[in-house]
Amino acid sequence: MDFSVQSLHTFEMELSVELQAVLKMAKVNSTMELNENSLMKLSKNGLTDIALRFVNLYEKNLKICKSAAVKIDQLKSDQIEDQKKLLQIQDMKIDSVQQTVKTELRTWADVAQKGVTSKPVTKHTVK
Protein backbone atom coordinates (compact mmCIF):
# COMPACT_ATOMS: atom_id res chain seq x y z
CA MET A 1 0.00 0.00 0.00
CA ASP A 2 1.40 3.37 -1.01
CA PHE A 3 0.82 6.16 1.45
CA SER A 4 -1.22 9.13 0.32
CA VAL A 5 -3.66 11.61 1.76
CA GLN A 6 -6.36 9.76 -0.17
CA SER A 7 -5.46 6.51 1.62
CA LEU A 8 -5.87 8.31 4.94
CA HIS A 9 -9.30 9.60 3.90
CA THR A 10 -10.32 6.13 2.75
CA PHE A 11 -9.17 4.60 6.02
CA GLU A 12 -11.02 7.28 7.98
CA MET A 13 -14.21 6.39 6.12
CA GLU A 14 -13.69 2.67 6.81
CA LEU A 15 -13.20 3.39 10.50
CA SER A 16 -16.33 5.50 10.59
CA VAL A 17 -18.41 2.80 8.87
CA GLU A 18 -17.15 0.11 11.23
CA LEU A 19 -17.75 2.28 14.27
CA GLN A 20 -21.31 2.98 13.15
CA ALA A 21 -21.84 -0.77 12.69
CA VAL A 22 -20.64 -1.42 16.25
CA LEU A 23 -22.92 1.29 17.60
CA LYS A 24 -25.84 -0.19 15.70
CA MET A 25 -25.07 -3.70 16.97
CA ALA A 26 -24.86 -2.39 20.55
CA LYS A 27 -28.10 -0.44 20.00
CA VAL A 28 -26.63 2.89 21.07
CA ASN A 29 -26.48 6.22 19.25
CA SER A 30 -22.99 7.44 20.10
CA THR A 31 -19.67 6.34 21.49
CA MET A 32 -20.59 8.20 24.70
CA GLU A 33 -23.38 5.68 25.23
CA LEU A 34 -21.16 2.69 24.44
CA ASN A 35 -20.06 0.97 27.62
CA GLU A 36 -19.45 -2.45 29.12
CA ASN A 37 -23.14 -3.09 29.76
CA SER A 38 -24.16 -2.36 26.16
CA LEU A 39 -21.41 -4.66 24.86
CA MET A 40 -22.26 -7.46 27.31
CA LYS A 41 -25.77 -7.59 25.84
CA LEU A 42 -24.30 -8.64 22.50
CA SER A 43 -24.08 -12.30 21.54
CA LYS A 44 -20.77 -14.09 21.40
CA ASN A 45 -21.02 -14.04 17.57
CA GLY A 46 -21.62 -10.28 17.61
CA LEU A 47 -18.58 -9.66 19.79
CA THR A 48 -16.50 -11.97 17.60
CA ASP A 49 -17.62 -10.04 14.51
CA ILE A 50 -16.65 -6.74 16.13
CA ALA A 51 -13.26 -8.09 17.20
CA LEU A 52 -12.49 -9.43 13.71
CA ARG A 53 -13.53 -6.13 12.08
CA PHE A 54 -11.23 -4.16 14.34
CA VAL A 55 -8.34 -6.58 13.84
CA ASN A 56 -8.74 -6.05 10.09
CA LEU A 57 -8.75 -2.27 10.57
CA TYR A 58 -5.73 -2.52 12.86
CA GLU A 59 -3.77 -4.41 10.19
CA LYS A 60 -4.71 -1.80 7.56
CA ASN A 61 -3.60 0.93 9.94
CA LEU A 62 -0.22 -0.75 10.41
CA LYS A 63 0.29 -0.92 6.64
CA ILE A 64 -0.62 2.75 6.25
CA CYS A 65 1.74 3.76 9.08
CA LYS A 66 4.64 1.75 7.62
CA SER A 67 4.01 3.23 4.19
CA ALA A 68 3.81 6.72 5.69
CA ALA A 69 7.14 6.20 7.48
CA VAL A 70 8.82 5.21 4.21
CA LYS A 71 7.28 8.22 2.45
CA ILE A 72 8.40 10.60 5.20
CA ASP A 73 11.96 9.23 5.06
CA GLN A 74 11.98 9.73 1.29
CA LEU A 75 10.68 13.29 1.64
CA LYS A 76 13.38 14.07 4.21
CA SER A 77 16.08 12.70 1.90
CA ASP A 78 14.69 14.70 -1.01
CA GLN A 79 14.61 17.85 1.11
CA ILE A 80 18.24 17.37 2.18
CA GLU A 81 19.30 16.91 -1.46
CA ASP A 82 17.35 20.03 -2.48
CA GLN A 83 19.00 22.03 0.30
CA LYS A 84 22.45 20.86 -0.82
CA LYS A 85 21.68 21.95 -4.39
CA LEU A 86 20.42 25.31 -3.13
CA LEU A 87 23.61 25.85 -1.13
CA GLN A 88 25.71 25.01 -4.20
CA ILE A 89 23.77 27.52 -6.28
CA GLN A 90 24.13 30.17 -3.58
CA ASP A 91 27.89 29.51 -3.39
CA MET A 92 28.13 29.92 -7.18
CA LYS A 93 26.25 33.22 -7.01
CA ILE A 94 28.44 34.47 -4.16
CA ASP A 95 31.56 33.55 -6.14
CA SER A 96 30.16 35.38 -9.17
CA VAL A 97 29.41 38.51 -7.14
CA GLN A 98 32.86 38.42 -5.54
CA GLN A 99 34.49 38.13 -8.96
CA THR A 100 32.41 41.03 -10.29
CA VAL A 101 33.35 43.20 -7.30
CA LYS A 102 37.05 42.40 -7.76
CA THR A 103 36.87 43.21 -11.48
CA GLU A 104 35.03 46.47 -10.91
CA LEU A 105 37.42 47.52 -8.15
CA ARG A 106 40.36 46.89 -10.50
CA THR A 107 38.63 48.91 -13.22
CA TRP A 108 38.08 51.86 -10.90
CA ALA A 109 41.57 51.56 -9.58
CA ASP A 110 42.88 51.70 -13.16
CA VAL A 111 40.77 54.80 -13.87
CA ALA A 112 41.98 56.48 -10.71
CA GLN A 113 45.58 55.52 -11.49
CA LYS A 114 45.38 56.98 -15.00
CA GLY A 115 43.91 60.21 -13.69
CA VAL A 116 46.73 60.75 -11.25
CA THR A 117 49.79 62.53 -12.56
CA SER A 118 53.21 61.56 -11.49
CA LYS A 119 54.06 65.18 -10.63
CA PRO A 120 54.48 65.94 -6.97
CA VAL A 121 51.62 67.78 -5.34
CA THR A 122 52.41 71.40 -4.50
CA LYS A 123 50.40 74.39 -3.45
CA HIS A 124 50.48 75.57 -7.02
CA THR A 125 49.16 72.32 -8.52
CA VAL A 126 46.35 72.07 -5.97
CA LYS A 127 45.07 75.57 -6.84
Side-chain angles (χ1 to χ4, degrees):
M1 169 178 282
D2 287 332
F3 174 76
S4 67
V5 173
Q6 182 61 40
S7 66
L8 286 178
H9 288 300
T10 301
F11 186 67
E12 178 186 13
M13 292 297 291
E14 290 176 21
L15 281 172
S16 180
V17 166
E18 292 299 329
L19 184 58
Q20 290 304 315
V22 169
L23 294 176
K24 186 175 180 179
M25 289 173 73
K27 297 179 182 165
V28 294
N29 295 320
S30 71
T31 55
M32 297 295 287
E33 296 175 23
L34 190 63
N35 57 35
E36 185 179 348
N37 290 333
S38 60
L39 290 174
M40 292 302 285
K41 292 177 185 177
L42 295 175
S43 68
K44 187 175 182 179
N45 288 341
L47 288 173
T48 302
D49 185 47
I50 290 171
L52 291 174
R53 286 177 175 200
F54 280 109
V55 165
N56 183 36
L57 289 173
Y58 181 79
E59 286 178 338
K60 284 183 180 181
N61 187 43
L62 282 176
K63 289 177 184 176
I64 288 174
C65 288
K66 287 178 182 179
S67 180
V70 169
K71 186 71 166 182
I72 289 170
D73 286 342
Q74 181 61 47
L75 289 171
K76 284 181 182 179
S77 296
D78 291 349
Q79 182 180 18
I80 289 169
E81 286 301 314
D82 289 344
Q83 288 173 340
K84 285 180 182 178
K85 288 176 185 175
L86 181 62
L87 287 173
Q88 289 173 344
I89 290 169
Q90 288 174 338
D91 285 344
M92 288 173 30
K93 290 201 177 264
I94 288 171
D95 290 344
S96 174
V97 168
Q98 286 176 340
Q99 187 61 37
T100 301
V101 168
K102 285 179 186 177
T103 303
E104 291 301 318
L105 284 177
R106 270 189 251 130
T107 304
W108 280 104
D110 292 345
V111 169
Q113 188 70 20
K114 289 177 184 174
V116 174
T117 60
S118 56
K119 297 178 184 175
V121 178
T122 64
K123 285 183 184 181
H124 181 60
T125 57
V126 172
K127 288 183 184 178

